Amino acid sequence: MIARRPPAPRLWTILAMLLIAGVALGLRLKRIDESLTLDVRHFIEFAETLFTGRHLDYYAGVSGHEFTYAHLPLFPHLLAPVLRLFRAFGLDGLHAVKAVAYAADLGAAFCLYLLARRQGLARLPALALLTLWLFHPRVIEASVGQAHVVSLAVLFGFLALLRKDLPWQAGLFWALAVATRTEFIFLALAAAVHYGVHRRAQFRGFLLGATAVLAVFVLPFIIRDFEALRWGIYGHLNGRGDGLPLFRAIFDILGQPFPDALSGPNDWYLRIGAPVAIALTAFDRNLQRVLLAVSLVFVLSLMVVHARYLVMPLSLAAVYSARPGLIWVFVAWYAIDAPTALRPDQYLLGLETGQLLWVVIVVALYAAAPIRRYVEARLPAATDLPDPGSAGGH
């Protein structure tokens, strides 16, 4: 018996993807010269030192600076060959950064489409989900306005979910995400706990893939100067930020003064909250729900809220809602969050009601399926209900 091949992509789907990608890329190219100058300067300086014999000293060289490259060193490794190619053609270094960021946006969007189709979403709503994510103001602002490669870490996370049944590949992609954006460590740890609890036979392969990446890209810096690495990716953040912005918004709405205990740089909340979230969700078999919950706790514990920090929970919400019964929740998220993101004056004034609304949406998304299962299990089946027409003989 000849095995059936999966159906080939329909021509209209391919053409629609190309059209959406073309419009998205055109929008991004119009803003190719925008960036956060100090951040991009670090990206380029780090990439320039790679393969020169001085790159292992980069973190030590920026010790004591207010602004540093605050992540593990994967992105400079990926940027270095692109930067050299752009420089060879006389192109600006910023454009090399944007090339990686824009490619990551498109790649992550395509992976989101594949995840949606795998979870039972039809082609048209899957394309709609891809479009909503690709044109969301926070995704655009992160890569276009700020020239940050959060979408690259999101791409690796999506690939880890696509390859979850091949544990060494899943571990490898989660490690790549962490080595790109440090905050993805919480998601990677949650994934590792999931494999350790629910996929014990695959746990060793997961660790093997993750360890290989960290050994190649991170271990040399740890051996060279661990304290410089620690300070570069975390230590310099001490003392920055002012309270917990989303909690401050709650007190503002209630008309109550913000407690002094929550004021100031409360990095303790993240160090406690994220591990607790991982522990509390350890026995949930749905990895995507676990990741969504952990990312929500991460955002609630942020001392400074920037668009690039919100791309991670937005992306995980898109993945989790990429199924027929939940897609409407992400549409609601977009309808609430996108207009707020386009009005930065609200954020600057501290009126972060839009942020709170999408927190409510995420909580609803997280609880929607369990609540539905709970209700369905306790409501009498339709066949058990009495026939209204049988009463009274009429």
Side-chain angles (χ1 to χ4, degrees), residues 96-156:
V97 176
K98 289 292 187 78
V100 178
Y102 294 175
D105 281 356
L106 298 177
F110 179 68
C111 287
L112 178 59
Y113 174 85
L114 294 179
L115 285 165
R117 293 288 290 139
R118 177 177 290 186
Q119 293 171 182
L121 211 59
R123 286 184 175 87
L124 193 56
L127 283 172
L129 184 66
L130 172 154
T131 305
L132 289 178
W133 185 87
L134 197 56
F135 287 91
H136 196 288
R138 300 197 189 281
V139 176
I140 294 174
E141 181 61 23
S143 63
V144 178
Q146 300 177 4
H148 273 260
V149 288
V150 186
S151 290
L152 184 60
V154 169
L155 170 61
F156 290 137

